[in-house]
Amino acid sequence: MSRESTESEIDSHDASTDRSTTPRHDEIDYLSREVNLLKPSTPFMRDHLKVIWTGFIAWALLTFGPPVLTYFAPATMTARLPVIGFPMHYFLVAVLSPTSSLVLAFIYSRKRDQLDERYGIDHTASQTRSTSESEAAVADGGRVE
Amino acid sequence: MTPSVFLQSGDLLPEALNISFKLVPAIMVVGMLTLFLAIGYVFKVADTEGMWVAGRSIGNIENGMAIGANWMSAASYLGLAGLVALSGFYGLAFIIGWTAGYFVLLIFLAAQMRRFGKYTAPDFVGDRFNSDTARAIGALTTILIGFVYSVGQARGMGLVGLYVFGTDYVTMVIVMMAITVGYLTISGMMGATKNMAVQYVILIIAFLTAVYVVGFTGGYSTVLPHIEYGQLIGELSTEFSEPFVNAGFYLWIATAFSLIFGTCGLPHVLVRFYTVENEKTARQSTVWGLFFILLLYWSAPALAAFGVDLYDASQYGPTFAANGGMSGGEGDLIVVLAAQLSNLPTWFVGLVAAGGIAAAIATTAGLFITASSAVSHDIYTNIINPDATQRQQVFVGRATIVALGIIVTVTAFDPPALVGELVALAFSLAAIVLFPMFFLGLWWENTNRQGALAGMSVGLALWVAAVVNDLIFHFSDLFAEFVPAIGAALVGTPLVFVVTIAVSMATDEPPERIKKMVRQCHSPEPMGQQQSAEDVVMSADGGQSPADD
């Protein structure tokens, strides 16, 4: 059980309050940590899943909320909106819901980048390194900023 | 309007369409296709690496456009507006279904898939569950999806072709499919991806121009037709906006659910994540892709509303007449009809029609590539002939494209449903069979081979039963009510989840090597462009490559 104790030791660091040293992610061997959506085993996955579940719940409400409300309260939901003239249910489903997915996708992408930053992960650096390593990379000039 | 999900194919022909040969639109279509072929020729590649994933070297905006072009098939360009025009509020379930899924794909699958680093969906299933049977079921599903989806495209191409070239529907289907297949056999995916950015630009310009010009000349809108059509909706007949009249609440939710989770299981969407440099690019290009898709999805209901109003006012209207009204073929062509009924010049209507053809060809290209690699890579090379040379693989891939092209063409002569509905069938299949495998495979390391095989078999059987019941041989009203083919995933996906989890728990855990591959997909450590999770796991094991491959 020596490995177990090391794991909890490493993880306990992130329970401490100092944010800058919070994720002791250099010390974690990710290949030995279980992957289970319902039982995140590393601080990184815990943090990541917080972002994912928050986004997912917001998405589910915004996507399925309007049709469900329309079903249960048709009179209220089909009232015409002032100025733009849409029946409300139509506007919510045709315009608001799809747009909210885009906004949430953008927010998630930003949050995940911030998470990477907090854990000191740099995809760009790995990119340059691996390209020079792998002989004759077939890159045709497509580059990430 | 017909309350049933599937309209009769008898009302295929678009009476209101001006069917004749038109020179300028014909030149536009031919010129556009020539441009595609020329670009395809420039990027012609002979090796298999280049053929399948374009050397994994495409940036996020370009990849976003390719995602957009892949996505915006005839189903989006023509079928979506058609569904909104014919089925009113039910049509909006398709708008939700074909956009919202990208968010789920992004948060749960995109980056992890990229890290897993395999070429195709069958490859993922085969390697993750370490089973050639799983690979074969994955490949079969991929081919079925490509087939159903392409039939929808062929119907769209055939109908639009009528406006441009005249002749008759069957001839047009043959001509258009021949062009698609000819183009694909010449260029591989390298060319295809380059084309896809070009095709995206052409078709989004064509579509947006149509919305703006039709809206402006009809006096419906000025600067923002995407919002301004709201006023019109109140004036159109109630069939157009009243909720749950054309289809009930259950069918609405089931359809949206199927399309959303189908998005997350669609092989030709997933293959786009292998063409990018790293997981960050995979994420960013998903966001870009969704934006590019929405440019069209914000506009389609507006154009549908304009089209319905113009149709009402024309000699063919009203749209929702007790007898007749708008036919299925006219619905699928509402985008072109809206421009034609606005009395716009022929070249302009031709531009809109050309966009529809571009949309259909772009998507069919992606689907055929995916299906062909499923056959040549996953079935032929991995199962039938492990010693296949690159020449043999490329040959099998091309032969598959031709064979599939012929089958799709023949089926499209008498398609059993609207463009959008046909494509939706492919989504419900992807949502039932592939999405649970991707999701559980990536998020629960204990998902094992037995679980995956049981889950996929149950899912495939359920989908086939639903399609047979709805389209071929009706055997149960109750089954049709709760498992409509188009929305079969609302029942099917949770069922496959339960079966897969239960069987996985009842049988042995997967080997440590597989678990490590799953863990590698979730590790925050960056990976190289050419690396797969398997490579990392093997080098971490000190280069001891396991002999079970």
Side-chain angles (χ1 to χ4, degrees):
Chain A
M1 296 312 284
S2 65
R3 203 182 69 180
E4 288 299 315
S5 69
T6 333
E7 282 186 6
S8 60
E9 229 169 70
I10 297 167
D11 290 359
S12 72
H13 279 276
D14 69 296
S16 72
T17 44
D18 186 356
R19 215 156 179 278
S20 62
T21 59
T22 295
R24 306 285 302 166
H25 112 99
D26 291 351
E27 296 172 25
I28 295 176
D29 175 12
Y30 284 94
L31 291 187
S32 64
R33 297 305 188 90
E34 188 190 358
V35 171
N36 182 336
L37 179 69
L38 305 175
K39 280 193 300 182
S41 63
T42 63
F44 179 81
M45 197 187 260
R46 253 195 303 278
D47 289 349
H48 190 193
L49 277 173
K50 247 179 248 165
V51 178
I52 290 179
W53 284 124
T54 314
F56 184 74
I57 291 167
W59 170 87
L61 291 175
L62 285 162
T63 302
F64 288 105
V68 171
L69 287 177
T70 306
Y71 180 69
F72 286 108
T76 327
M77 290 299 288
T78 50
R80 288 188 70 175
L81 292 170
V83 189
I84 51 175
F86 272 100
M88 185 158 69
H89 70 295
Y90 204 94
F91 179 75
L92 292 180
V93 176
V95 182
L96 193 82
S97 292
T99 311
S100 70
S101 285
L102 176 65
V103 173
L104 286 170
F106 180 73
I107 294 173
Y108 167 79
S109 192
R110 285 287 298 274
K111 289 267 176 206
R112 175 62 216 255
D113 286 350
Q114 284 166 6
L115 201 61
D116 280 358
E117 217 167 281
R118 244 181 79 201
Y119 281 80
I121 298 153
D122 186 359
H123 290 288
T124 337
S126 101
Q127 187 50 47
T128 12
R129 197 176 61 230
S130 73
T131 311
S132 56
E133 270 173 17
S134 62
E135 77 300 337
V138 255
D140 69 342
R143 281 278 166 271
V144 228
E145 293 85 41
Chain B
M1 244 4 280
T2 158
S4 79
V5 192
F6 295 104
L7 293 159
Q8 294 306 307
S9 53
D11 58 5
L12 177 75
L13 280 181
E15 192 197 347
L17 189 78
N18 173 3
I19 299 173
S20 65
F21 179 78
K22 302 176 191 65
L23 186 64
V24 180
I27 291 172
M28 281 174 140
V29 172
V30 172
M32 205 173 70
L33 294 174
T34 314
L35 178 69
F36 295 166
L37 281 170
I39 298 171
Y41 182 77
V42 171
F43 290 98
K44 183 178 170 180
V45 281
D47 67 312
T48 47
E49 178 80 5
M51 177 130 172
W52 284 316
V53 290
R56 277 194 202 156
S57 58
I58 287 154
N60 56 13
I61 294 185
E62 193 187 354
N63 197 48
M65 285 191 179
I67 290 175
N70 247 183
W71 199 242
M72 292 196 301
S73 62
S76 304
Y77 194 99
L78 304 167
L80 187 66
L83 281 161
V84 174
L86 288 171
S87 327
F89 187 67
Y90 178 57
L92 299 188
F94 290 79
I95 294 196
I96 291 284
W98 282 332
T99 52
Y102 269 94
F103 180 69
V104 179
L105 183 65
L106 171 69
I107 59 173
F108 285 115
L109 300 174
Q112 287 80 5
M113 271 287 171
R114 178 64 191 82
R115 290 180 72 88
F116 199 89
K118 288 296 169 179
Y119 281 154
T120 63
D123 233 358
F124 172 85
V125 178
D127 284 9
R128 168 62 181 84
F129 302 110
N130 196 18
S131 156
D132 276 345
T133 316
R135 187 189 302 274
I137 299 178
L140 178 69
T141 309
T142 302
I143 296 161
L144 265 178
I145 288 171
F147 167 67
V148 178
Y149 211 118
S150 302
V151 172
Q153 308 308 313
R155 172 181 161 127
M157 286 191 256
L159 285 170
V160 179
L162 285 177
Y163 176 82
V164 179
F165 297 105
T167 71
D168 60 289
Y169 172 75
V170 168
T171 313
M172 271 302 107
V173 171
I174 295 173
V175 170
M176 291 297 170
M177 287 303 291
I179 290 168
T180 308
V181 170
Y183 153 66
L184 260 171
T185 40
I186 294 169
S187 76
M189 201 181 203
M190 188 64 149
T193 307
K194 298 288 168 194
N195 274 350
M196 278 177 189
V198 176
Q199 279 166 335
Y200 173 79
V201 172
I202 289 178
L203 78 92
I204 199 67
I205 288 174
F207 200 89
L208 288 179
T209 315
V211 176
Y212 273 91
V213 172
V214 170
F216 190 78
T217 53
Y220 302 116
S221 65
T222 50
V223 286
L224 200 61
H226 317 82
I227 299 293
E228 287 173 90
Y229 76 96
Q231 295 293 354
L232 181 62
I233 288 184
E235 291 150 27
L236 291 172
S237 60
T238 49
E239 283 94 335
F240 194 76
S241 65
E242 199 178 332
F244 313 122
V245 283
N246 297 309
F249 177 66
Y250 180 83
L251 184 61
W252 204 103
I253 297 288
T255 306
F257 183 94
S258 277
L259 301 179
I260 285 170
F261 292 98
T263 306
C264 306
L266 219 57
H268 73 282
V269 173
L270 285 167
V271 83
R272 287 275 148 239
F273 296 126
Y274 304 123
T275 57
V276 295
E277 294 186 86
N278 58 40
E279 57 185 293
K280 190 173 174 182
T281 319
R283 284 197 294 272
Q284 287 170 337
S285 61
T286 310
V287 180
W288 276 112
L290 180 53
F291 171 73
F292 290 135
I293 290 164
L294 278 173
L295 284 182
L296 186 137
Y297 277 64
W298 285 318
S299 317
L303 197 49
F306 301 156
V308 166
D309 194 51
L310 287 163
Y311 193 88
D312 281 347
S314 74
Q315 52 174 311
Y316 308 101
T319 308
F320 300 103
N323 292 314
M326 193 183 284
S327 74
E330 287 167 340
D332 273 341
L333 279 169
I334 192 74
V335 171
V336 179
L337 277 178
Q340 184 198 307
L341 294 173
S342 299
N343 293 319
L344 292 164
T346 311
W347 66 264
F348 183 83
V349 186
L351 174 73
V352 178
I357 292 172
I361 289 180
T363 301
T364 313
L367 289 163
F368 277 23
I369 285 278
T370 312
S372 106
S373 81
V375 173
S376 67
H377 184 76
D378 303 306
I379 293 180
Y380 181 70
T381 313
N382 273 295
I383 298 170
I384 299 173
N385 179 6
D387 302 322
T389 61
Q390 289 227 328
R391 273 180 75 92
Q392 284 173 313
Q393 286 188 49
V394 171
F395 174 79
V396 171
R398 288 178 181 175
T400 308
I401 288 172
V402 173
L404 193 60
I406 292 169
I407 300 171
V408 168
T409 308
V410 173
T411 315
F413 288 166
D414 187 17
L418 292 175
V419 172
E421 292 168 330
L422 287 165
V423 169
L425 292 180
F427 279 73
S428 81
L429 176 59
I432 294 172
V433 177
L434 295 178
F435 169 69
M437 296 309 120
F438 296 156
F439 190 90
L440 285 172
L442 286 170
W443 281 99
W444 185 44
E445 63 178 31
N446 286 345
T447 319
N448 65 13
R449 179 190 307 174
Q450 292 87 340
L453 289 175
M456 292 205 308
S457 313
V458 168
L460 205 52
L462 186 85
W463 182 82
V464 170
V467 170
V468 168
N469 193 30
D470 271 15
L471 291 176
I472 300 163
F473 177 77
H474 188 78
F475 58 81
S476 161
D477 285 339
L478 191 72
F479 192 73
E481 167 110 28
F482 289 101
V483 195
I486 214 165
L490 188 57
V491 169
T493 306
L495 179 72
V496 172
F497 265 85
V498 169
V499 168
T500 309
I501 292 171
V503 174
S504 292
M505 287 174 93
T507 48
D508 291 340
E509 290 188 3
E512 192 68 12
R513 182 181 68 89
I514 300 282
K515 288 187 177 186
K516 282 189 176 173
M517 273 157 60
V518 178
R519 291 167 189 165
Q520 175 59 25
C521 295
H522 289 276
S523 159
E525 304 288 354
M527 289 168 72
Q529 188 184 345
Q530 306 287 334
Q531 265 182 325
S532 69
E534 198 177 9
D535 301 335
V536 174
V537 170
M538 291 223 281
S539 60
D541 283 349
Q544 290 176 328
S545 66
D548 61 349
D549 216 90

